[in-house]
Amino acid sequence: MAVKVRFAPSPTGSPHVGNLRTAIYDWLMAKHEGGEFLVRLEDTDRSPDRYSPESIADIEESLRYLGILPDSWWVSGGKDSPYIQSERLERYHKVIEELIGKGHAYKCFCTKERLELMRQRQQELGTPTGYDRRCRNLPPEDSARYESDNLPYVVRLAMPLEGICLLRDAVRGEIKYEYRLQDDQVLLKSDGFPTYFLAATVDDHLMEITHILRGEEWLGSAPKMIHLYDVLGWEQPVFAHLPIILGTDRKKLSKRHGATNFRWYMEEGYLPEALVNFLVLLGWSTGDENKELLTVSEIIERFTLQGITEHPAIFDYEKLKWMNGQYIRKSPSGRIVGLCIPYLVKAGLLSSPPTLEEMAYARRIIPLEQERMKTLSEVVDLVGFFFRKLDYPNGYDEKAVTKWFGVAHLKPLLEKEVVAFEALPVHPTRVATTGQTVGPGLFETLEALGKERTLERLRNVLNRTS
Ligand code: GLU
């Protein structure tokens, strides 16, 4: 059967780098296997802190930036449309009705207050927390009466009270769960929206997903999903839970370590190929630890689930920066110039839009610093002095001034320099140092020749001239 994978982000805010790693793995797997990659928006949690409509555009932009375009998603549609869960509610309701009809789910009318008291008591007694299943055996006439009285309710999944659930994970091998320890979790909330694991299971089935790649923080929902597949008689896809991402201190990656949201990396000027290369290595390896720089086609060629590691991945910002620097260095300078211009415009060093003259100047300057740039945004500091109007002592590095302008005879030295520069005849100097009239910029040429060779050539002409 052809591989079909999905990336299923929730629009809770700007995407986290960890989510994009999942998206990259999905995309790579589809590319490697000649399969299909779809992206589905999981927006059934409508609580204000979990639903941010603006982030939908962010998710789209991030995937476009990385160049991992889905075969189908809400942006372009596709045969499994719609790809937004809030537009698929009737499909979930139908399955929930079926589960209730077969006795695998039930309506629960317990109030928030009751659930809170129950939780408090469980905590006091030190017993496991979770729903006490009071409504699981509610007589049908009570249930009907509550409903006709318009009492709000949720629908819960009636988990088996005994038996073992077996998860065969492509990364972690076999994991067993005791069903009796699983909570009767909510499938349908009182606002009419399904919870994550019901909606995801229904969609994975309807969209014929063959492999579910997701972060290991979702492991806890696996037994409920497996139970749903069983009772609905659906074929279970392959699960692959991806290792957690930690900071270099081995604590869960968080803002403390640096930025975790992807937008920051786009804005700082991390190249897409560097991000793909770096993120793919967070939890996957080619087996060759010495080869860290991999082109996208090399990664596609080698990417399989067998290469995914179980142990936590370490997000090392310094390594990412280094890698980005390597990719900037390798890029054609025309590309880097183009990518750097917006940073210079934003910093006010170039007009918006830049004039033709400014563009020509930028094209000459930016490549001079390309080797040293680790992120594109560094261009502002690296080449700023070329553009800034210096007004001594304003705009001068104080330490440099103290160190180098303290020398005696600075004034006569500068005087000599001004005279020499004023008199510097460009064409004769070029001929004297290069033997010809055409060549790169005179100063770049002199710099490349170096002081010794330049002086030797000048002296040589001088000595042979009467
Ligand atoms: N909607 C989940 C999230 O926000 C996706 C989990 C999954 O991939 O199944 O990360």
Side-chain angles (χ1 to χ4, degrees), residues 6-12 19 22 40 42 50 196 200 204 212-215 217-218 225:
R6 89 310 193 262
F7 171 53
S10 293
T12 52
N19 292 126
T22 306
R40 173 178 82 215
E42 300 201 327
R50 300 275 310 153
Y196 155 72
D204 288 337
I212 296 180
L213 276 59
R214 56 180 193 170
E217 65 274 22
W218 297 103
M225 291 168 106

